[in-house]
Amino acid sequence: MTTTTVSLRPRYEGSNICTWIGFKHVNYMVEEAVLDHLRQSGFPAGALYERFGLCTDITDLDTKILTAFHIDDLAQATVKRVDGEGPLQLVVELTVERDGKTVKAVKSKVSVSFRLDPHGFDAEPVPAELLPHVVDAIGAPGAAVLDKVGAVEPVKVGDADPLDLLTAGKNAFAWAWRIPYFYCHFTERVQMSGYLRQMEEILDLFVEDRGASIKTLLDEQNWIPVVPKSRITFLGEANMEETLYTVFTVEEVFKRYTFTARMDCYVLRDGELVPTATGRITHGWAVIENRKDWSLVDFDDRLIGAITGKAGSLSGRGVS
């Protein structure tokens, strides 16, 4: 099936500030639309794993949020398959009703790979339609994707501290974190939703480190962060109970209105930081006007100082 539709609602967990849904849970809706598309096409993720030993992995997720979701919204998701080599390519659009009109709320480009399960159980032959998208392991994407996301090279560590290496001379914050099982799937690997949670948390830690925490700006100015765009691309595999080293680097501030930062994730193997994922996120801030409405604001001097590093040191670090 080349095009499918499904109705979706955001999860209650994502309604953190008033009734608005954060970017992570918007991306969860995109993921649900993709899984439903596979079901309608005759390839449900559960059966693919149990019968054929194929692990369904979203390996590239590029999302633009055009309209904010509220907790009780009913979204209509349309998923279209796009021809191409390598991973299965899909375009997902979410619409929502606003004042009697249908409004496009989200557009997302998604890549899906079917990773062969390494655990050696008996399996049926892989369906021919999926064979072009089957991989032995998740590795770096093709050149066309790397041209857009930028190459990430391994980093030799030696006797140095990995967090110091990742932030030295940069407007960056880095964090070392043990990967728990509940960020993983198919028994061993971090899944896309795990990296979305990582992207959300590293921003939270970054602004707190710079003296402009989410709660500080909420308490003092009634400001909240908003995300119009995010992207995460797999470069390799990160496994349960490894330490994930994540660096958040500010790249651009646009007219005191938004800023874009890069997230790069590594695991330490044999004295080398091996890249497993990269991504970008664009942030703005909005003032809460009432329990239903908000509007974007220009960054004030404190927030500009925090984002650019002029309020303190250019780098920070955290461990959990």
Side-chain angles (χ1 to χ4, degrees):
M1 211 175 273
T2 58
T3 302
T4 60
T5 59
V6 65
S7 298
L8 300 167
R9 291 190 189 274
R11 297 179 185 178
Y12 196 46
E13 178 192 320
S15 183
N16 305 124
I17 307 296
C18 297
T19 63
W20 307 305
I21 302 300
F23 89 99
K24 178 183 68 181
H25 277 264
V26 172
N27 277 298
Y28 285 1
M29 294 170 70
V30 172
E31 181 181 67
E32 288 299 320
V34 168
L35 293 173
D36 181 81
H37 174 83
L38 292 173
R39 291 188 197 102
Q40 292 192 49
S41 300
F43 301 119
L48 288 178
Y49 180 73
E50 293 168 358
R51 293 179 56 191
F52 308 108
L54 294 179
C55 307
T56 302
D57 276 283
I58 293 177
T59 56
D60 190 30
L61 182 57
D62 186 1
T63 299
K64 293 181 181 179
I65 301 174
L66 309 172
T67 297
F69 276 103
H70 293 252
I71 185 56
D72 294 318
D73 280 337
L74 180 64
Q76 300 298 321
T78 300
V79 183
K80 296 181 180 180
R81 194 174 302 186
V82 180
D83 292 335
E85 297 181 356
L88 178 65
Q89 303 294 321
L90 302 169
V91 174
V92 181
E93 292 187 355
L94 305 182
T95 61
V96 67
E97 293 297 312
R98 289 281 181 269
D99 300 322
K101 297 180 180 179
T102 300
V103 176
K104 185 187 293 187
V106 173
K107 183 171 183 179
S108 187
K109 298 178 182 177
V110 184
S111 298
V112 181
S113 291
F114 301 96
R115 202 267 203 201
L116 286 167
D117 181 56
H119 292 103
F121 300 110
D122 291 339
E124 299 175 34
V126 172
E129 186 177 342
L130 298 184
L131 274 173
H133 316 301
V134 173
V135 295
D136 292 322
I138 297 169
V145 173
L146 284 177
D147 284 346
K148 293 182 179 180
V149 302
V152 186
E153 300 296 333
V155 178
K156 292 286 186 182
V157 174
D159 296 329
D161 184 291
L163 297 179
D164 290 341
L165 283 176
L166 292 172
T167 57
K170 300 177 182 177
N171 183 10
F173 178 90
W175 178 35
W177 172 78
R178 174 185 174 274
I179 300 170
Y181 81 91
F182 44 87
Y183 277 61
C184 301
H185 66 176
F186 298 114
T187 315
E188 57 188 0
R189 294 188 312 284
V190 176
Q191 58 181 301
M192 178 59 76
S193 64
Y195 282 115
L196 286 167
R197 293 161 77 177
Q198 189 79 357
M199 179 174 271
E200 183 177 57
E201 188 150 6
I202 197 73
L203 177 279
D204 182 67
L205 293 171
F206 168 76
V207 292
E208 181 181 38
D209 182 68
R210 298 294 178 86
S213 76
I214 305 299
K215 182 165 173 54
T216 296
L217 268 64
L218 271 170
D219 287 349
E220 297 181 6
Q221 296 170 232
N222 225 23
W223 285 12
I224 57 167
V226 294
V227 176
K229 193 174 189 313
S230 64
R231 182 172 190 170
I232 295 175
T233 304
F234 281 29
L235 302 174
E237 298 181 351
N239 298 317
M240 188 185 302
E241 297 188 2
E242 287 190 295
T243 297
L244 192 72
Y245 295 89
T246 302
V247 58
F248 184 87
T249 306
V250 175
E251 291 190 319
E252 181 183 20
V253 179
F254 179 72
K255 295 182 178 180
R256 301 177 72 100
Y257 200 59
T258 60
F259 82 95
T260 301
R262 179 175 181 126
M263 181 186 81
D264 293 306
C265 298
Y266 305 81
V267 292
L268 184 61
R269 296 174 185 151
D270 299 324
E272 187 174 70
L273 288 166
V274 178
T276 61
T278 188
R280 282 187 175 84
I281 188 167
T282 300
H283 268 279
W285 259 260
V287 62
I288 299 173
E289 297 176 345
N290 53 57
R291 283 189 287 268
K292 182 181 178 182
D293 302 308
W294 53 261
S295 59
L296 290 171
V297 294
D298 289 342
F299 300 161
D300 62 7
D301 289 344
R302 172 170 64 174
L303 192 51
I304 280 285
I307 292 168
T308 61
K310 295 177 181 177
S313 65
L314 281 178
S315 61
R317 44 182 289 148
V319 179
S320 67

